[in-house]
């Protein structure tokens, strides 16, 4: 509820007053109509004394019983030694009780009536129900008892018959009158209201009286000891945002005299109801005397709609975020991942590369590669994989790539470059780890010197056969950014004409849950198969076609990371 001093609180009070004014105005109309009807009625004649009633016209007790519209038994108390009610003698029954018995029990199930008999002897299973207490209280307190739902079972030759009735017990002279109605229909009506969370009520606009359905309190979430709310009470219990629609609905029903509906949210139960209201008129086209409303609990549907709207909104925001990330990724990828044509011809090499981003990360990841001429006439070649995914990994990737480019101008060996790059990664933070293969190609000797920092070793394709190059002495070095002051060693690989060196990220070959050896065997087999299927043509386009076919063969729905493949082919002495 809004703070009473706030603007929302003021609007709430104003709308409540409007509803109260509408109800008060209609009550005045009904009062005026009643007075007009009373004034227009002819004066009642002075009553004459009633004629004497002949003794023969006085109804008998059985005739009075038969005149009751409900099933009834007249019972005579059977008292114990201390005056307590021990049983009740079944003295008489009415026509409705006989008809009930005939409709509920198979023929012969109930012994024929042969005069007074103890009730609990005739119907033993009744003794364990609330009927015993109700009879005792009606006899002892001399006040009516009930109604109460009583359920019991009557055993018959054709099986057990379940009885579910609404019972009342009232003192009747020296006897007790037990009446009942078919309770199953009433019980089912209440159960239906609970199951579908629907209830109804009728409000008399003349005296504010209310006639609710049985399940009214339960469905609206009202305690049993709380009075059924009048229309103004219902408005007071509503959430402020429900009042404008409630006022408009009551206005349409009371003054315009047609059925209307609104959505009503109650602060007491935090539930939402669809309220359908119709006018109840004195006569067709006449004054609206009462309003009748059906309440349908739509809380679950509303919550589902709200959840769906939130999900749709979140999906839109996520889509926008992905589009923004993808746009950044496109720009970043274009900036850091080179496109090869004939730039390396002067070194006697051709290069081709394929990059496949992780689709979950909108096209951006931590894989990177580089091929750059150095001042000493040699060529820097590197491929790495920064830890993680998304823009965070791409940011680290860019840092390491540009740091390596700057360090390479020192003309230090690749062992030292790798050690320095490790120091850069360590200084960047605990999460800044990466793997890499860093190489320098010496064209004058057709020699590739390379180091490995926690990365898969390159693969050499020679004469159509693919083999993984052995790691440098001492094995692959530790990943970048894990520990400072780590020394790395380099391996040397002489290249022959038409040799192809494949550098790749583990996302290209790893497939969980297979082991690394199986992954590598599959990679080598694919590299050889693509050679045998169609030997790489000369020129950059032929090499590019080869790596495209190789990546397509290895790629698939089970990939969970970026996949990068960089291929170098020796074409001459440079």
């Amino acid at each position: 509820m809004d703070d009473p001093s706030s603007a929302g609180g003021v609007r709430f009070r104003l709308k409540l007053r409007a509803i109260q004014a509408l109800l008060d105005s209609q009550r005045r109309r009904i009062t005026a109509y009643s007075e007009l009807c009373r004034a227009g009625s002819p004066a009642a004649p002075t009553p004459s004394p009633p004629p004497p009633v002949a003794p023969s016209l006085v109804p008998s007790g059985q005739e009075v019983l038969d005149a009751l519209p409900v099933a009834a038994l007249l019972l005579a108390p059977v008292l114990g030694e201390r005056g307590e009610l021990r049983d009740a003698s079944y003295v008489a029954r009415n026509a409705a009780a006989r008809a009930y018995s005939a409709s509920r029990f198979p023929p012969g199930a109930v012994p024929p009536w042969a005069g007074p008999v103890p009730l609990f002897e005739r119907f033993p299973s009744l003794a364990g129900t609330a009927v015993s207490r109700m009879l005792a209280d009606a006899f002892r307190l001399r006040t009516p008892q009930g109604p109460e739902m009583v359920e019991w079972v009557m055993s018959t030759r054709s099986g057990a018959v379940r009885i579910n009735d609404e019972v009342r017990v009232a003192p009747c002279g020296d006897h007790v009158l037990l009446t009942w109605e078919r309770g199953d229909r009433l019980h089912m009506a209440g159960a239906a209201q609970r199951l579908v969370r629907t209830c109804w009520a009728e409000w008399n606009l003349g005296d504010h009286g209310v006639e609710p359905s049985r399940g009214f309190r339960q469905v609206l979430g009202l305690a049993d000891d709380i009075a059924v709310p009048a229309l103004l009470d219902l408005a007071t219990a509503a959430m402020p945002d429900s009042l404008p629609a409630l006022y408009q609905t009551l206005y349409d029903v009371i003054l315009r005299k047609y059925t209307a509906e609104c959505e009503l949210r109650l602060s007491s139960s935090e539930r939402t109801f669809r309220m359908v209201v119709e006018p109840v008129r004195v006569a067709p086209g006449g004054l609206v005397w009462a309003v009748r409303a059906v309440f349908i609990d739509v809380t679950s549907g509303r919550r589902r709609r709200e959840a769906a709207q939130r999900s749709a909104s979140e999906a839109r925001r996520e889509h926008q975020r992905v589009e923004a990330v993808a746009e950044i990724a496109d720009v970043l990828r274009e900036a850091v991942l080179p496109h090869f044509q004939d730039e390396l011809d002067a070194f006697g090499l051709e290069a081709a590369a394929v990059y496949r981003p992780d689709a979950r990360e909108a096209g951006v990841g931590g894989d990177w590669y580089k091929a750059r001429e150095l001042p000493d006439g040699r060529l820097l070649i590197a491929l790495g994989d920064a830890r993680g995914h998304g823009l965070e990994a791409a940011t680290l990737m860019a840092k390491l790539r540009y740091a390596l480019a700057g360090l390479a101008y020192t003309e230090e060996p690749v062992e030292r470059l790798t050690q320095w790059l490790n120091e850069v990664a360590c200084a960047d933070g605990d999460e800044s780890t990466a793997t890499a293969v860093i190489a320098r190609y010496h064209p004058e000797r057709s020699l590739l010197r390379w180091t490995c920092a926690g990365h898969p070793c390159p693969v050499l394709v020679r004469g159509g056969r693919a083999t993984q190059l052995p790691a440098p002495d001492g094995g692959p070095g530790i990943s970048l950014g894990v520990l400072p002051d780590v020394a790395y060693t380099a391996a040397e690989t002489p290249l022959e004409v038409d040799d192809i060196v494949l550098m790749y990220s583990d996302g290209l070959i790893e497939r969980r849950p297979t082991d690394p050896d199986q992954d590598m065997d599959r990679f080598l087999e694919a590299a050889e198969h693509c050679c045998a299927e169609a030997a790489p043509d000369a020129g950059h386009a032929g090499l590019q076609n080869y790596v495209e076919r190789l990546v397509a063969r290895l790629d698939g729905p089970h990939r969970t990371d970026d996949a990068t493949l960089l291929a170098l082919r020796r074409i001459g002495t440079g």
Side-chain angles (χ1 to χ4, degrees), residues 463-488:
R465 297 296 304 274
T467 57
Q468 187 177 26
L469 295 176
D473 292 343
I478 194 169
S479 297
L480 303 174
V482 177
L483 291 173
D485 302 324
V486 174
Y488 295 86

Side-chain angles (χ1 to χ4, degrees), residues 209-295:
V210 189
E211 291 292 335
S213 65
R214 278 177 165 260
F216 189 83
R217 285 187 176 86
Q218 292 81 358
V219 174
L220 263 63
L222 305 176
D224 292 338
D225 57 349
I226 294 179
V228 176
L231 281 175
L232 187 61
D233 298 329
L234 200 65
T236 305
M239 298 292 284
D241 58 358
S242 296
L243 286 186
L246 177 61
Y247 172 79
Q248 186 62 49
T249 298
L250 294 177
Y251 181 90
D252 291 340
V253 172
I254 294 173
L255 298 184
R256 296 180 176 176
K257 302 178 184 179
Y258 60 72
T259 301
E261 64 179 74
C262 65
E263 197 169 83
L264 184 69
R265 296 175 56 216
L266 297 182
S267 56
S268 57
S269 61
E270 296 185 351
R271 303 196 71 82
T272 303
F273 297 89
R274 178 171 166 245
M275 180 181 177
V276 184
V277 191
E278 68 174 1
V280 180
R281 306 182 191 184
V282 176
L287 190 69
V288 175
W289 193 279
V291 295
R292 184 180 299 127
V294 175
F295 295 84

Side-chain angles (χ1 to χ4, degrees), residues 6-162:
S6 67
V10 172
R11 287 193 297 269
F12 178 77
R13 293 197 305 275
L14 290 175
K15 194 57 70 174
L16 267 183
R17 289 174 187 169
I19 292 175
Q20 183 174 13
L22 176 65
L23 298 176
D24 290 345
S25 174
Q26 189 66 7
R27 187 176 187 183
R28 288 194 295 271
R29 292 188 187 94
I30 293 172
T31 301
Y33 177 83
S34 301
E35 292 173 352
L36 182 63
C37 291
R38 190 182 306 114
S41 300
T46 304
S48 57
V53 178
S56 61
L57 297 179
V58 176
S60 66
Q62 183 62 53
E63 289 174 327
V64 172
L65 279 179
D66 287 340
L68 294 175
V70 295
L73 298 180
L74 187 64
L75 305 173
V78 178
L79 304 180
E81 296 179 356
R82 294 192 294 269
E84 79 282 3
L85 185 74
R86 183 167 52 85
D87 204 336
S89 182
Y90 182 173
V91 175
R93 60 179 178 171
N94 68 351
R98 292 192 295 274
Y100 178 89
S101 178
S103 67
R104 293 294 287 144
F105 302 118
V110 179
W113 172 254
V117 62
L119 178 67
F120 298 141
E121 180 180 314
R122 189 172 179 83
F123 302 107
S125 56
L126 269 181
T129 68
V131 170
S132 298
R133 171 179 50 77
M134 295 173 71
L135 289 172
D137 289 347
F139 177 74
R140 178 173 56 85
L141 302 175
R142 309 303 298 171
T143 57
Q145 304 296 312
E148 289 192 35
M149 294 299 300
V150 175
E151 186 173 300
W152 57 288
V153 176
M154 177 76 175
S155 296
T156 69
R157 288 190 298 272
S158 58
V161 177
R162 174 178 170 269

